[in-house]
Amino acid sequence: MLASVMVIADAESPGPLKKRPRLSLKVQKNNESKDVKVGKEETDQGGEKGKEVFEEENDVIERDLNKEENSKSVVPAAASLENLGNTCFLNSVLQVLRYTPGFLPGLELLYQEIIQVEKLRKQDVLNKEDAGVFEPLESNKSIHLVKDLYRLYKNMEQREENHEEKATSDVMSMAVKPQKLLNIIRELNPMFEGYLQHDAQELLRCVLSYLQDSEKDLFNIKKNVLEKLPNKEVPKNVIMDRFLSKCARLKSENQPQNVFHQPDILDQIEQSEAAKTSITQTTTPVEADTACLAQEEVFKMENVPNSKLRTTRTPRGKKQSEEQKSNQKTKQALKQNTPRSRKGCDEPDGTTESKGVECNGRRKNTETGTSEVSDSGTGEEKMETDCGDNKTVNGKVNGESGKKDKNGKQQTILGMFQNQKAGKRLGMSRTILRNSTAKSGAACQTSDGLVNGHCRDEPGLGKTEDVVKCKSAPALANGVVSGSPSKNQSSPRKPVVKLEKCDRVCNSPLKSVSAQLATQKLSPCKSGSSPSKGSPRDAKQRLDFVVTSENKVLNSINLKAIKTNFIEDLFLGKMMLRTKCCECENCRERIEDFHDISVPVRVEKTEESDDEEKEEDSDSCLRKLMFAFTEVERLRDDNKYFCDTCLSHVEAERSLHYQGLPNILTLHLKRFSTSSGMFGYVSKINDHVSIPLSLPCLRYKCPSPCSRPDHRYLLYAIITHAGVTLTSGHYLSYVHVPSNQVQGRESPRHFLSTPTRRYPGQWLECDDETVRVHDEESFLGMLQGEEGSLMGTPYVLFYHRNTPVSTWSV
Amino acid sequence: MSSLGRGSVGQGKKKVQISFIIRDEVEKYNRSGVNAIQHDPDLKRLYSAGRDSIIRIWDTRTKKDPYLKSMEHHIDWVNDIVLCCRGRIMLSASSDSTIKVWNAHEGTCMATLRPHRDYVKCLAYAKDVEVVASAGLDKTIYLWDVEELAALTSTNNNVKESKVHEKSSIYSLAINPPGTILACGSTEKAVGVYSVGVMDTRGPQDIMRLKGHTDNVRALVLNRDGTQCLSGSSDGTIRLWSLGQQRCVATYRVHDDSVWALQANESFTTVYSGGRDRRVWATDLLNPDYRTLICEEKSPILKLELVKGDTDYDSMWVATTDSTIKNWSLKNIQKRLSGEYDNENIKPVYTQPNSTIKGGSSIRQYHVLNDKCHILTKDTENNVALWNVLSARLIENLGKVSFEEEIKKRFKMVHVPHWFTVDLKIGLLTIHLDESDVFSAWVSSIRDLGINPPSEWEDCKINLGQQLLRALFEHWPKSHMYENQDGMREMADPLLFSVPEHTPILINTCDDGHGRAHFHPFLCRDADKETQQKCLNEEVPSWAAEVLAHKNMSQTVTKIAFFLLQYPNSGIKTAPKDRLSASDMIQVRKVIEHVYEKVLRQGVENGHQSGESGDHEKEAQDISKLAAEKVELLCNDQVLDANMDLRTVKHFIWKQSGDLTLHYRLLNR
């Protein structure tokens, strides 16, 4: 295997490399010293000593390099993997996985999810202040594996992107070292320790099952974290959260514009930004409840919280407006809201009902104008100042436990603000809103404090909070019976500043959690809510916006929908085991999952097989082998079957049928057998098996021939093995590069952009560090053994559904 | 517990099993499905071969009580029977892998042939030459000369057999009356055809394979001159083959499911077929469009037997997986053949059978109660019954009640180890005793088991397996008298209970690696007959003979290890934690006494050395009483019933592996 390290992609791999003018010196340091040449840049691959030794020398050589451009000798623009000592079994599998349709997007999702959960947990731990319990996710090895695997692929991707600068004629120039991944795999399964050759198929199974484990573990961890959260963080507003997260994203990605593809939405964003300004404001547990939306039903849901929020807000708003002599419009708006709030109250939800009562009371207040305002007014004013303190504290005390709480509240407020927006669409003009909000801004801020005091019993906010608490008490007393929603005249007063704050908030993973929680909790209300007419569209738009911009984040937020199980989605199939009693002919059927199909290379000749079949040529076709695999097994002689109907031991036929086939069909040719020869000696069957580029439908329920295109399979990768035994020899893989048309469009991010661009529809021969490009025709020739042949004998075959990834049902 | 027991599919070396069947002395009704029927036109008798292992003879002239006689010698399903020599001789094939030769008129077994190594599934009879072919799951076909079989005696037991090996399990067989052509159907999904030369010493010659069916071939008929063959298959079709052309000349799709039974008239113009879809069709072979649905049964059809009237066949017996056999008229069938295609809307020509031979019920489900002595069963008519294994009798017929309810109702918190297995394959309770566990069940009292033992046995520990074996072999003289160590002959202890004398007992020996079983069936009461004695002396396995003839019951009682600790809350000083050991049947009462005497009274004892040493027994009783008043035992914080034994405590209360831990606690009264 090590020998292959030295093999360099030279004339043998002409590939369709395009000649491009190269500006960097590095690129030109190619042709002459082909054997061992390592560019400096490669050192980032993690100080390989051997390489470094050469470095100086190389530098010298490079200077003298023939500047003449010879792109032929440059290795193809496809990242390869370094052999770390008999690790070709690993490399071949990694390459195949990389080119497996749907694998990289799934991995990325999972990775994002891990990052999310990690943040979450950090928050959670900080909150609890018992960091001793904190156990980093990293300690979960399978999760660790995901991260390493993701980074490795990222690395490969980068390498490819920078191909022009980096690639030389030396194969190492495009090689990535999977050292970390190998380490973690070895940790997970000590079997892979040492420098022995291992079975690529076993490794594949291991890696996939670890990935599955990590999905499961992650899900559980997340669930745990989420379970803990509700108690501490009840008051959360999903919508707010979403917005916050969105904002965060916008900021962080520096690409707000392209996210908003609808002008309307832009408008909304403005508002939302305004809303963000109000972040400092408050909410109540109830609101958090009401605020949750299922994505699809945002608008419906929103109405409910809207109305509620507004109702809750109304008295306060009224007071404020009275206090501050706000204009009549605000009043009107408020009035408008109030009836709506009643509507919302019709909801069966208990909390809402109580609110409804409150609302009514408050509405009265609004209409009549309240005298009680005075006390609260003073209180509020004071609170406002306190709030200011709060904010500053907020800004400073990043790591403090108090922060999180505030964040949560702020988020809720944002959510409310969203609602306000909706409300605005319904009737209020923006300006009015602004007015009112601006005026109430102070109050809002106070209310933040209020909420803090109100909702939090835990210590940790420090002085400011104490003050707030004191202040909030009167506010609470003030007509706001439930104490819950006395606030939220959020105002877009200082958008910019607040936005920053938002960002910070958004960055904390908390929001997503709470959002999710809320969604889960509140989903029942959805049905009961009475959507008002104007808002749905609005909400919908907003939703769109949220969805598009936040696709990933949202996905990772949604607990239920998101239990990522892309491994299962890609690789899991179902087969049915049917046992038929030969006496009464009743059938027992059992359905089993499978990840790959092991295909015996040699069909055992049963005595029942027909004479003609025996004379069949030894060049077995894969299809025949597969059918042989599904052939009936007879339970007889001493191995009779106990039939429940006959109550007796009878002969029976056991047969396998494919019921549901996976999106990625893995065929494992059973080339290694212990049966022949001595004990413990694993011999290899080198029989030629002709491999078709496409497989017909295998489902037993389908008529033959099955005409459904999505039941057909196309070959996209092969792992081959050259050598005589399991523990010796060399693995390499052949992968099919998807053509642009097929895959390019679908995924939002293209993970294989470089190879796809350069070698669409061609086959790559990944032999550790070396990658050679074959066009489809010559590959086919190799496959059929016509011109040249594959290196090694096909061992594991990978087929994907004959339909685009996007259409694969999960 | 309600799982279905495994039968005696033997593996390994020399394993001997003793089994017995709990049944009535006379089983007048078929207990289970009927695999085969034969009609004797001379005596107007019908022979039915049942899955209950019994061949019954019925008088078809009386409708009221047609039962004449049972032929009981098989121990497993009888799969096929043929009547030879104008009804004088009958051959039967069974899943016990034997073929038996019967005097059909007398109903006695004349000989047993054991060449097959697996279930014998089918027989075929060539009337003209008195040749019978047999075949089964061992893939082998044997040809037998019936006259020769009939002449077999214990001294003249040489049989010329000629055999053919097939490639897979054979499920159907046919031979034409002159015995020149033999056809077999197998899971190979093909019909194998052999030519049988009577004078040919080479045996049957394989002449062709008829391929076309896509599943097992379950029924075959050959015409008289062996030029045509009809085959019925699990693929649902009937095919007509021309042997001359070696091809299928017609395919009849009259059934919706597997075809299991075929008959044709002598002129080979009409085929009668039945199968899994429960329907019996008559189909015109020349014009398949003409067919008639004769009748519709309630269970899948296993066999058809045509009965010849004055001119042609005028009625037909139909055997199904149900125990009842019905006779259906075939009159006017020919005229009614019609060209209807739709299977759904066709009404059978006859809805009522000519006559019916009623069958009985077979047991479908069982549950061994915790005392490992009583068994609850549920039969095909949903009757629930309670049986006692020890006395091999039906205790109570509970009627149509809920099986699950009865199980719940009869739950007792006792734990007795398994010591037998149950088998329902013949529709009756068959109890198997195995060397490995038959002696594992000791009980301290069998009074609870519905048996009143003689008073001297009142307090003895009893091994259920041993006592049952003694009861089963009650009539075997060797079991009465045994030689003690000094060579003196002694009388054995009296029996605690006995089993019905008609109980069939079976000594089943799997003595080679092929799962080939030798079995020796006899009735309980026949054990003292001269010939039987001789056989028994050889057949009874040593593990049974030891307890029967030598009374060497190994007294190795299973010990149970446990810790006895003070209950955490009581105020007594803690004794050192000793690991105690006792018989697992010891009752909690005894442990309480132990606690009372050894732990609590230790200090007191020293003070006043038991003054009244006179009445020991009384004292013991007093102690027992006292102890029960003063001390109670707990396990897992649960107070234990004094009558419970330790294994029960371990099984139901301790519920874990590892040594049992008991706590004692003083009662303050």
Side-chain angles (χ1 to χ4, degrees), chain A residues 443-456:
Chain A
C444 292
Q445 283 176 0
T446 13
S447 59
D448 180 18
L450 178 142
V451 174
N452 278 343
H454 171 55
C455 306
R456 290 177 76 242

Side-chain angles (χ1 to χ4, degrees), chain A residues 684-707:
Chain A
K684 188 185 171 191
I685 307 165
N686 268 314
D687 292 7
H688 176 73
V689 175
S690 65
I691 293 161
L693 279 180
S694 68
L695 281 182
C697 175
L698 296 166
R699 278 179 84 236
Y700 76 101
K701 276 180 184 164
C702 288
S704 63
C706 170
S707 56

Side-chain angles (χ1 to χ4, degrees), chain A residues 19-77:
Chain A
K19 293 191 182 184
R20 290 185 187 199
R22 278 162 219 225
L23 298 176
S24 87
L25 225 181
K26 301 159 195 166
V27 185
Q28 295 168 4
K29 68 182 173 184
N30 32 23
N31 38 25
E32 225 78 281
S33 54
K34 285 175 183 172
D35 301 51
V36 191
K37 211 189 306 157
V38 181
K40 269 186 185 169
E41 319 78 50
E42 265 66 54
T43 46
D44 67 352
Q45 279 313 299
E48 250 195 309
K49 276 169 196 165
K51 281 182 180 176
E52 277 169 17
V53 172
F54 284 112
E55 234 166 69
E56 283 180 32
E57 199 188 331
N58 285 345
D59 276 353
V60 180
I61 300 170
E62 276 164 22
R63 304 254 150 75
D64 307 333
L65 270 183
N66 188 349
K67 311 265 165 166
E68 188 189 311
E69 185 137 343
N70 185 355
S71 64
K72 268 196 177 175
S73 57
V74 173
V75 294

Side-chain angles (χ1 to χ4, degrees), chain B residues 527-539:
Chain B
D528 59 348
K529 287 187 184 159
E530 195 100 347
T531 49
Q532 237 10 292
Q533 274 197 49
K534 210 173 135 195
C535 288
L536 286 181
N537 291 348
E538 289 165 17
E539 299 275 350

